[in-house]
């Protein structure tokens, strides 16, 4: 029962994150099925994922991982984790939305 409950909780977080990232203009080309992360295309914002991740952290307090950390093929992408509680995910994505509007 506990495993089923956690699976449902993570699925709710995953769906919210994918939906909001797409609303914010990030490309989510593959929806994760067994991980706790979403790799989102942010190349239209900045082709340098490390610079973008650091700027997001400095200006919003939200930590994302630069795609380049996973190899040159992931440059231009950002990795978002959905391991945090649902309300924290919503807040983080709201901060990123404000950040994008101000860019």
């Amino acid at each position: 029962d506990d495993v089923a409950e956690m699976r449902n909780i993570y699925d709710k977080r995953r769906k919210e994150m994918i939906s909001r990232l797409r609303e914010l203009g990030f490309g989510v080309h593959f929806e994760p099925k067994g991980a706790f992360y979403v790799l989102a295309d942010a190349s239209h914002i900045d082709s340098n994922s490390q610079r973008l991740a650091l700027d997001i952290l400095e200006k919003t307090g939200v930590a994302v991982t630069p795609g380049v950390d996973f190899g040159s093929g992931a440059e231009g992408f950002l990795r978002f984790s959905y391991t945090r509680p649902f309300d924290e995910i919503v807040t983080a994505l709201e901060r990123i939305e404000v950040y994008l509007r101000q860019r």
Side-chain angles (χ1 to χ4, degrees), residues 31-73:
E31 294 187 13
K33 301 294 183 204
F36 302 105
Y37 309 98
V38 176
L39 192 62
D41 188 344
S43 61
H44 64 290
I45 300 167
D46 192 327
S47 61
N48 184 314
S49 62
Q50 192 166 26
R51 178 176 54 218
L52 180 57
L54 183 59
D55 197 46
I56 289 172
L57 177 61
E58 289 176 347
K59 292 181 178 160
T60 69
V62 176
V64 298
T65 307
V68 72
D69 286 359
F70 303 97
S72 61

Side-chain angles (χ1 to χ4, degrees), residues 8-23:
N8 289 334
I9 289 169
Y10 279 108
D11 191 48
K12 179 181 176 186
R13 293 175 187 172
R14 180 184 69 86
K15 287 176 180 174
E16 176 67 14
M17 181 164 284
I18 290 169
S19 174
R20 286 291 288 135
L21 287 172
R22 285 180 170 154
E23 287 175 11

